[in-house]
Amino acid sequence: MAKLPIVTVVGYSNAGKTRCIVRLVSALTRRGYRIATAKHCHQGFDLDVKGKDTWKHKRAGAVTTLMSGRNQIGLVTDDAASLSLGHMCDQYVQSADLLLAEGYSWEPFPKIVVTSRETLRQQRIPSLQQILAIVADRRIDNSLPHFSFAELDSLASLVEERFLLPRQQGALFRRA
């Protein structure tokens, strides 16, 4: 089976990236797809709660701490280097049809650019060929698919057509 498709949603702070991802996850989930998400945190983050047992395990020196409950599993692990999005997806994402990642503008995956800026030159995108679509309230580039925030269901259809339907058709073909 082909690797899981990854689409990144990129743009500056407060441009609406989270809003875009939430709407895409909701629209694609309603269509029966299983969507995984990832978020790059520039400032770092703390998944565990100070004072709780797993926090104590990690602070005592555990290199990896797993937490599990009825329907959830959590993982806190140290890594000397920042892992690539593809590597994290391969290692930690199961049972999903697509990974939507917020941030990761440097990664070589198709990008949905969420912007309020006047031009794409102001964005931190390595290559315009990586851009799948633009989400902005006004049209920035006529050569790329453009969606306003009111049209995110149509953007979900584009993502479905490009990344999800071909995988379904391939799976059906292989089963025959």
Side-chain angles (χ1 to χ4, degrees):
M1 181 119 202
K3 289 188 172 212
L4 188 69
I6 299 172
V7 175
T8 60
V9 177
V10 302
Y12 287 105
S13 293
N14 298 315
K17 297 181 302 292
T18 300
R19 178 179 169 196
C20 181
I21 284 187
V22 167
R23 292 275 306 276
L24 288 173
V25 169
S26 180
L28 293 168
T29 299
R30 281 192 312 270
R31 297 174 191 193
Y33 296 105
R34 296 163 304 164
I35 307 301
T37 63
K39 164 97 171 96
H40 185 262
C41 303
H42 292 285
Q43 305 300 326
F45 63 93
D46 193 4
L47 183 66
D48 211 356
V49 178
K50 185 176 182 177
K52 292 292 193 176
D53 293 346
T54 53
W55 180 87
K56 291 175 185 176
H57 297 177
K58 191 77 183 78
R59 295 310 173 273
V63 295
T64 300
T65 300
L66 294 165
M67 298 161 266
S68 66
R70 282 186 162 175
N71 300 316
Q72 295 179 314
I73 296 174
L75 166 75
V76 178
T77 188
D78 295 332
D79 204 309
S82 183
L83 296 177
S84 73
L85 188 53
H87 179 79
M88 288 187 298
C89 185
D90 291 344
Q91 291 295 310
Y92 304 114
V93 179
Q94 290 88 32
S95 304
D97 299 310
L98 173 79
L99 175 71
L100 286 173
E102 183 174 334
Y104 303 94
S105 61
W106 61 91
E107 293 272 2
F109 299 105
K111 294 169 184 9
I112 296 169
V113 178
V114 180
T115 186
S116 59
R117 309 253 178 182
E118 295 293 324
T119 69
L120 288 175
R121 287 188 292 272
Q122 296 172 328
Q123 300 296 318
R124 291 175 271 187
I125 309 293
S127 168
L128 290 180
Q129 286 79 23
Q130 293 178 342
I131 299 176
L132 172 67
I134 298 171
V135 175
D137 288 328
R138 65 179 107 144
R139 187 166 287 284
I140 292 173
D141 185 316
N142 287 327
S143 67
L144 296 166
H146 175 273
F147 301 89
S148 70
F149 283 100
E151 300 171 313
L152 293 180
D153 281 343
S154 296
L155 176 57
S157 294
L158 175 66
V159 170
E160 181 180 33
E161 290 166 16
R162 289 281 303 275
F163 303 101
L164 296 166
L165 292 177
R167 286 176 57 87
Q168 282 185 344
Q169 291 165 353
L172 293 174
F173 179 73
R174 280 192 289 280
R175 288 187 210 151

